[in-house]
Amino acid sequence: MVTPAKLALFRLLPSIDELLHSEPLQPILVRQGRAATLEAARAVLEGLRARIAANEMTEAQIAGAVDDVPREIEERLKTAMAYSLRPVINATGVILHTNLGRAPLSRAALDRIVEVSQGYCNLELDLETGKRGKRDIHVDRLLAKLLAGTRREVATIVVNNNAAAVLLTLNSLAEGGEVIVSRGELVEIGGSFRIPDVMAKSGAVLREVGTTNRTRLADYEGAVNERTKLLLRVHRSNFEIRGFTQQPPLEELSDLARRHGIPLMEDLGSGDVFDLRQVGVHGEPTIADSLRAGVSMVTFSGDKLLGGPQAGLITGVHDLVAKVRSNPLFRALRADKMFHAALEATLLAYLREDYDTLPVLHSMRLTEEAIDQRAQHLTHRLHISTVGLNVEVLPSRSVIGGGSAPGSTLPTRVVAVSSPHLSADAIAEKLRAWTPPIIARVEAGRTLLDLRTVEPEQDAILFAAAKSLLR
Ligand SMILES: *Cc1c(COP(=O)(O)O)cnc(C)c1O
């Protein structure tokens, strides 16, 4: 039952229509659009109605609240219309963190995306002839130069990601036939990328050989038959097999493939151009290593160790790449101009040996001493300005991640933060709530900040966030 007195109170509220036509709402309508403003206005009025219905407001209070309505609407819209995909500070020390967007792009790659995408570009136009061109030639040209040392004539095409590259290559080269893979390489990468499942979707039949820990050349040889279309080697991206193990070297596998006139394909996963042995990481083959060993077709990601945008690159001998390109699936999986622009800039950095401009390589090449210096500085500043927070520098390991170099880590120094009043998880949660959100690592009851993956300019943000933990 609504009493006449209450009805009078409700009447103090403006109608939606009055509100939308009121002076203060005009700039908000222009900024945020009619639909969102209308929704926010309805919600604010609904809130006031509920409070009036619950006898929570006097006439004077309602009058004040009505004056405040435009501001309330604006506040609501600030949250509702804010970006949900946001930059964060990666203090985990995991360089290629799939949940955090993998490789950060270089300045040059970002500039290229803007320059090429803000207007029109010659993505598929040959400027000399004026005829239709191919979007892959921009990347193809640079990768051919980078791999010139292998003395193999290769071509490259680009698709949406490496999962697409594997699917497309298998489908193009082996549909209806058999593909021989070692049982030690039937990997799952995560996000439901499993070699047996991708194989099934490609229309090729998986022919497993060997055992989990040992596969010999003879196992491959024994499985070759008239239906065999491809030999496949898969990089064990996220795990290692140790102990009593065996795997034929790529050279032997490629010899076998050649003798039978079957191509050898390798899913490299990360597929780096830069030789990681220079930063003390072993067991991560370069693209050139594979081609030199005789592999006819490699696939790899653009946003793992290469340090570029999400993409799947298919590099191999011309006739095989041509076959993949002519597959109608290629059209369904192709990459946008932004990927091509960013890839071109990324590959140019390798050609110029300008490695430190690529954030992924820069992070990998940071020395333990350089990280220690920043960690000590941050810790020192926190010691001076905070009481009750335990902060110390500890030796630790940064993880490369992203399914690259399984088990390979880089020595680092982390800032360990703990408090008698807050659990490590609670500290991590508070850091995540910071603007920008800070993602830390929690280990053995401590919250760890690894500055290897943090820009030096962001150290000040870590300081402010850590200081605020006491409040
Ligand atoms: C990461 C990875 C993939 C999937 O690559 P995406 O670019 O994430 O699609 C496939 N194979 C291997 C061996 C990998 O490491």
Side-chain angles (χ1 to χ4, degrees):
M1 243 316 267
V2 183
T3 62
K6 194 166 272 175
L7 213 53
L9 289 183
F10 281 131
R11 289 221 176 93
L12 293 173
L13 296 178
S15 72
I16 279 284
D17 216 41
E18 280 165 358
L19 201 51
L20 288 185
H21 283 98
S22 70
E23 185 88 18
L25 245 69
Q26 299 319 302
I28 302 176
L29 276 163
V30 171
R31 258 199 319 276
Q32 308 283 24
R34 192 185 148 79
T37 309
L38 182 64
E39 191 186 312
R42 280 205 177 115
V44 170
L45 288 184
E46 205 46 61
L48 288 177
R49 265 191 218 106
R51 291 182 61 198
I52 295 170
N55 299 320
E56 284 173 15
M57 298 185 94
T58 63
E59 195 174 325
Q61 283 172 327
I62 295 170
V66 166
D67 285 344
D68 227 23
V69 161
R71 207 189 46 78
E72 286 277 326
I73 291 174
E74 196 148 31
E75 276 305 307
R76 244 172 199 280
L77 283 169
K78 233 185 239 164
T79 324
M81 301 296 273
Y83 289 109
S84 152
L85 178 60
R86 291 192 289 157
V88 304
I89 295 181
N90 174 11
T92 65
V94 180
I95 297 171
L96 295 167
H97 199 306
T98 299
N99 299 358
L100 303 184
R102 287 201 189 149
L105 294 179
S106 67
R107 192 68 250 167
L110 295 170
D111 289 347
R112 262 345 260 172
I113 291 176
V114 173
E115 282 158 23
V116 164
S117 315
Q118 67 188 351
Y120 299 100
C121 62
N122 65 331
L123 182 65
E124 288 187 354
L125 180 76
D126 183 328
L127 289 175
E128 257 174 53
T129 62
K131 294 215 169 76
R132 177 165 187 183
K134 291 178 176 139
R135 63 177 62 203
D136 306 282
I137 58 152
H138 313 286
V139 165
D140 173 86
R141 170 183 79 102
L142 297 179
L143 213 58
K145 278 200 219 302
L146 281 168
L147 298 171
T150 62
R151 299 172 171 280
R152 298 281 301 274
E153 284 272 332
V154 290
T156 299
I157 55 176
V158 182
V159 288
N160 190 47
N161 54 24
N162 187 34
V166 174
L167 172 73
L168 176 65
T169 309
L170 289 174
N171 178 262
S172 310
L173 304 184
E175 189 178 19
E178 290 182 8
V179 179
I180 305 178
V181 191
S182 158
R183 289 198 170 88
E185 298 169 17
L186 296 176
V187 307
E188 171 175 327
I189 302 301
S192 76
F193 179 91
R194 294 170 138 197
I195 289 293
D197 299 345
V198 174
M199 190 77 74
K201 283 287 176 201
S202 79
V205 177
L206 171 65
R207 184 71 195 264
E208 307 171 22
V209 295
T211 60
T212 305
N213 55 327
R214 286 172 73 98
T215 304
R216 301 181 186 82
L217 192 67
D219 296 322
Y220 287 91
E221 186 132 41
V224 174
N225 63 59
E226 68 283 355
R227 293 180 302 277
T228 310
K229 292 275 183 77
L230 200 65
L231 300 190
L232 174 65
R233 162 69 62 95
V234 183
H235 184 54
R236 288 184 193 129
S237 289
N238 44 13
F239 70 108
E240 280 175 307
I241 296 184
R242 290 190 209 201
F244 189 54
T245 66
Q246 191 178 347
Q247 189 184 37
L250 268 183
E251 287 81 0
E252 289 181 16
L253 215 49
S254 101
D255 261 358
L256 175 73
R258 195 165 332 107
R259 283 206 306 280
H260 291 275
I262 306 163
L264 169 63
M265 163 183 170
E266 185 174 22
D267 173 12
L268 274 170
S270 222
D272 44 326
V273 173
F274 182 79
D275 193 340
L276 289 183
R277 279 168 285 216
Q278 293 184 39
V279 291
V281 173
H282 296 268
E284 190 61 32
T286 64
I287 304 159
D289 287 339
S290 292
L291 292 172
R292 261 194 221 100
V295 175
S296 355
M297 202 72 166
V298 294
T299 69
F300 52 98
S301 294
D303 56 353
K304 288 187 180 172
L305 284 171
L306 197 69
Q310 178 187 303
L313 289 91
I314 304 172
T315 297
V317 296
H318 283 271
D319 56 334
L320 294 181
V321 171
K323 212 166 161 185
V324 177
R325 174 194 282 291
S326 65
N327 186 335
L329 255 188
F330 173 55
R331 175 63 179 74
L333 302 171
R334 76 179 183 190
D336 178 65
K337 60 180 174 296
M338 290 193 284
F339 297 44
H340 285 273
L343 267 176
E344 204 183 7
T346 305
L347 294 174
L348 261 176
Y350 283 103
L351 268 178
R352 297 193 178 115
E353 299 181 16
D354 220 355
Y355 303 125
D356 279 321
T357 61
L358 299 171
V360 168
L361 288 192
H362 178 71
S363 292
M364 278 195 284
R365 285 152 58 93
L366 279 179
T367 62
E368 191 179 352
E369 292 70 39
I371 298 167
D372 183 51
Q373 216 168 43
R374 283 167 55 200
Q376 297 289 357
H377 184 66
L378 179 58
T379 305
H380 180 68
R381 286 184 66 200
L382 284 169
H383 276 161
I384 293 172
S385 54
T386 58
V387 183
L389 199 64
N390 306 317
V391 191
E392 58 181 321
V393 178
L394 297 175
S396 185
R397 312 285 303 181
S398 309
V399 173
I400 293 180
S404 358
S408 31
T409 55
L410 301 164
T412 192
R413 296 293 171 114
V414 295
V415 177
V417 183
S418 59
S419 154
H421 313 292
L422 286 168
S423 70
D425 285 327
I427 292 177
E429 192 183 324
K430 277 173 177 281
L431 293 175
R432 269 204 316 281
W434 196 254
T435 306
I438 298 163
I439 316 300
R441 186 147 51 100
V442 173
E443 224 172 77
R446 270 199 273 223
T447 313
L448 308 181
L449 304 171
D450 186 343
L451 301 185
R452 183 183 288 282
T453 44
V454 177
E455 292 280 322
E457 306 85 75
Q458 297 175 329
D459 288 0
I461 303 175
L462 296 195
F463 171 73
K467 216 174 109 179
S468 83
L469 289 171
L470 292 174
R471 267 186 256 123

